[in-house]
């Protein structure tokens, strides 16, 4: 039986434009095997359910991970310190995706 | 929520709080408080080392409402108070006249004005040139929008500063921008510009306004994190008109390189700083560039003025006046009823996407 967790995803820095203007949303994430769901599963959930146009896939994802230039924070901590794609989600986690690629 | 924090997850400076980020330049793990302090202190050191300001100086902050200039305004206000620089800080914004982009970002600048208690001056392309970017795009197409906007903005910032009687403008250009420019100049073979492009302060001979980039060594990633942790109010939407494709590709390359070797951004800037061009033999007096419109570049490169507007120019007529002249010729003589300005740009954009 797979475990489900409910986390909050935030899209900042103009990234909301590829998710129909949604800046934050609750996501119910399920792992596809018996393990705990990870950020990888959350990203799959986002691209499967929230991405408006498949053409924007490459704005968010590059080589099976989040595109360089998009900052990922888990509860305000850089995901580089949390194991990146393999971080195991806990209910109530806040995952923030911020694009740094727009002008300043 | 985390109950116990492992030793190696602690901040490497204070050793008491959980680290929240890793600095790209040295891979140091820091907590929120230490990061904010270190970031501000490094900007302060840059300012001190380069002697960017003098006491009592009036300084205009080029403010777009975007992340870099918002963080610049916040940091400058903090440092000016903490270290008692004695600076008089003013926000200076340019309204290019792009409906749905600049009007929204200017609203952010207006909020910053009260948040940071600084005076705000907005100069518009419309006032200065009698053209908005929307009108320019409607007239000349979307492809050359960045060329027009870039040339016009440079002058607009200078003119805005002079209006305020300020002789120093600071902008939010960060280390990533600097590295990108060095890379672009190398890729284009524009070697003459490399030396200029890495200077923290640029001051053309005879120009009354100098420009500085206090964030020259600050990573874009840290600027975004700083804005996030201090919960700064900034605006982020891509300009309606597409950015230059070549620049975009260089940016992507840089971001991919940064992932593999985060220090590469500062390394590129360092390389740019070390490059010194061999002095060319000068036979300038016999060499003149004749431009397509018949204007001639004068042998004395700096300090010439445009015959029309009086702005600094290497040619008889400056680039902005040449561009504007081209536009005037093509300006619609009759305005069709009910066609608003943004409507015209929108129509052009719609037409460009049509396929048969």
């Amino acid at each position: 039986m797979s475990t489900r967790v409910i986390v909050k995803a935030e899209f900042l820095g103009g990234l909301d434009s590829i998710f129909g203007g949604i800046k934050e949303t609750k996501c119910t994430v399920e792992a596809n095997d018996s393990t705990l769901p990870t950020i990888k599963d959350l990203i799959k959930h986002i691209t499967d359910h929230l991405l408006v146009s498949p053409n924007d896939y490459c704005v968010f994802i590059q080589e099976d991970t989040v595109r360089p230039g998009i900052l990922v924070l888990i509860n305000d901590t850089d995901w580089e310190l949390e194991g990146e794609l393999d971080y195991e989600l806990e209910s109530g986690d806040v995952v923030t995706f911020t694009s740094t690629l727009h002008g300043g | 929520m985390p109950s116990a924090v492992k030793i190696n997850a602690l901040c490497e400076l204070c050793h008491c709080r959980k680290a929240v980020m890793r600095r790209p330049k040295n891979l140091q793990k820091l907590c929120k408080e230490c990061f904010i302090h270190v970031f501000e202190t490094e900007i302060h050191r840059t300012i001190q080392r380069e002697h960017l300001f003098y006491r009592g100086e009036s300084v205009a902050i080029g403010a777009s409402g975007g992340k870099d200039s918002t963080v610049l305004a916040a940091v400058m206000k903090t440092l000016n108070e903490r270290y008692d620089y004695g600076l008089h800080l003013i926000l200076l914004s340019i309204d290019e006249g792009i409906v749905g982009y600049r009007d929204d970002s200017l609203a952010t600048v207006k909020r910053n004005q009260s948040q940071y208690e600084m005076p705000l001056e907005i100069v518009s392309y419309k006032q200065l040139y009698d053209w908005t970017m929307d009108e320019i795009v409607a007239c000349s197409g979307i492809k050359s929008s960045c060329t027009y906007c870039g040339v016009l903005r440079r002058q607009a910032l200078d003119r805005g500063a002079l209006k305020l009687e300020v002789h120093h403008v600071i902008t939010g250009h960060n280390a990533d921008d600097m590295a990108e420019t060095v890379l672009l100049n190398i890729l284009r073979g524009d070697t003459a510009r490399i030396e200029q492009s890495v200077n923290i302060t640029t001051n053309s001979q005879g120009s009354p306004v100098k420009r500085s980039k206090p964030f020259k060594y600050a990573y874009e990633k840290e600027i975004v994190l700083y804005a996030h942790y201090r919960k700064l109010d900034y605006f982020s939407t891509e300009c309606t008109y597409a950015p230059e494709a070549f620049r975009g590709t260089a940016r992507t390359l840089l971001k991919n390189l940064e992932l593999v070797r985060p220090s590469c951004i500062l390394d590129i800037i360092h390389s740019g700083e070390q490059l010194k061009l061999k002095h060319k033999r000068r036979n300038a007096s016999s060499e003149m560039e004749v431009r397509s419109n018949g204007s001639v570049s004068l042998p004395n490169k700096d300090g010439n003025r445009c015959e029309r507007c009086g702005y600094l120019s290497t040619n008889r007529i400056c680039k902005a006046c040449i561009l504007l002249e081209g536009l005037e010729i093509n300006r619609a003589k009759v305005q069709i009823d009910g066609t608003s300005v943004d409507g015209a740009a929108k129509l052009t954009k719609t037409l460009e996407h049509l396929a048969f």
Side-chain angles (χ1 to χ4, degrees), chain A residues 12-14 62 67-69 71 73 75-78 80-82 90 92-93 96 98 100-104, chain B residues 1 18-22 29 32 64 66-69 220-221 224-225 228-229 234 236 238 252 255-256 259:
Chain A
L12 307 176
Q62 183 181 315
R67 185 176 163 213
L71 205 64
L73 300 178
N75 302 321
D76 265 1
T77 299
D78 190 343
E80 283 179 26
L81 304 181
E82 300 280 15
E90 286 175 40
D93 278 349
T96 316
T98 307
T100 65
L101 297 168
H102 49 77
Chain B
M1 290 295 109
K18 181 178 177 284
V20 294
M21 56 86 66
R22 186 159 63 185
K29 292 184 221 165
K32 226 179 257 191
S64 64
K67 59 181 183 353
D68 299 309
S69 58
E220 183 163 67
K221 178 178 169 179
V224 174
L225 281 171
H228 185 81
Y229 292 143
Y234 71 90
S236 46
E238 208 52 71
T252 310
K255 284 287 161 198
N256 287 333
L259 202 65

Side-chain angles (χ1 to χ4, degrees), chain B residues 285-319:
Chain B
S285 54
S286 60
E287 234 174 65
M288 271 187 186
E289 183 200 349
V290 180
R291 304 183 70 103
S292 54
N293 68 345
S295 73
V296 174
S297 82
L298 300 172
N300 173 20
K301 283 299 238 188
D302 268 330
N304 287 317
R305 307 221 157 251
C306 169
E307 283 181 7
R308 252 175 240 173
C309 67
Y311 186 76
L312 225 49
S313 167
T314 43
N315 298 314
R316 221 161 44 79
I317 310 289
C318 75
K319 190 90 187 285

Side-chain angles (χ1 to χ4, degrees), chain B residues 128-340:
Chain B
L128 287 177
Y129 311 113
D130 196 27
W131 285 88
T132 65
M133 269 316 288
D134 284 338
E135 289 171 329
I136 291 174
V137 170
C139 185
S140 73
I142 202 161
K143 280 232 172 78
S144 47
S145 55
C146 288
T147 311
Y148 282 98
C149 202
V151 170
L152 299 182
R153 184 182 303 107
R154 196 174 169 80
Q155 279 205 18
L157 268 178
D158 279 5
R159 287 175 192 275
L162 289 178
K163 199 169 149 196
L164 294 165
E165 297 181 349
V166 170
H167 299 284
H168 197 173
V169 176
I170 53 174
T171 53
H173 290 97
N174 57 43
D176 297 53
D177 298 327
M178 301 292 277
E180 179 188 288
T181 306
V182 172
L183 203 59
L184 274 177
N185 286 332
I186 291 173
L187 295 175
R188 289 188 186 127
D190 206 345
T191 47
R193 286 203 183 169
I194 296 174
E195 249 184 277
Q196 263 284 317
S197 65
V198 289
N199 287 344
I200 191 158
T201 300
T202 48
N203 195 359
S204 318
Q205 212 186 333
S207 165
V209 182
K210 67 172 176 181
R211 285 151 187 272
S212 304
K213 306 179 184 88
F215 285 172
K216 178 184 168 185
Y217 300 109
Y219 274 74
E220 183 163 67
K221 178 178 169 179
E222 295 198 350
I223 291 174
V224 174
L225 281 171
Y226 184 91
H228 185 81
Y229 292 143
R230 276 196 62 185
K231 299 190 169 47
L232 299 180
D233 177 12
Y234 71 90
F235 175 82
S236 46
T237 300
E238 208 52 71
C239 175
T240 338
Y241 303 120
E244 216 183 315
F246 196 54
R247 187 171 274 275
T249 312
R251 188 66 157 199
T252 310
L253 173 65
L254 200 64
K255 284 287 161 198
N256 287 333
L257 287 170
E258 187 188 357
L259 202 65
V260 185
R261 182 186 156 91
S263 71
C264 82
I265 301 230
L266 286 182
D267 297 338
I268 293 173
I269 299 176
H270 177 76
S271 303
E273 286 171 342
Q274 299 310 311
L275 280 173
K276 290 277 175 281
L277 285 185
K278 202 165 54 184
H279 273 288
K280 276 189 188 161
R281 270 180 296 133
R282 290 207 172 205
N283 46 355
S285 54
S286 60
E287 234 174 65
M288 271 187 186
E289 183 200 349
V290 180
R291 304 183 70 103
S292 54
N293 68 345
S295 73
V296 174
S297 82
L298 300 172
N300 173 20
K301 283 299 238 188
D302 268 330
N304 287 317
R305 307 221 157 251
C306 169
E307 283 181 7
R308 252 175 240 173
C309 67
Y311 186 76
L312 225 49
S313 167
T314 43
N315 298 314
R316 221 161 44 79
I317 310 289
C318 75
K319 190 90 187 285
C321 285
I322 291 173
L323 289 177
L324 290 170
E325 191 181 56
L327 284 170
E328 283 302 336
I329 295 169
N330 294 315
R331 199 202 283 264
K333 301 289 182 291
V334 185
Q335 191 82 39
I336 300 163
D337 281 343
T339 317
S340 69

Side-chain angles (χ1 to χ4, degrees), chain B residues 9-24:
Chain B
L10 286 174
C11 169
E12 291 175 10
L13 275 185
C14 67
H15 304 288
C16 62
R17 286 177 291 252
K18 181 178 177 284
V20 294
M21 56 86 66
R22 186 159 63 185
R23 304 198 70 195

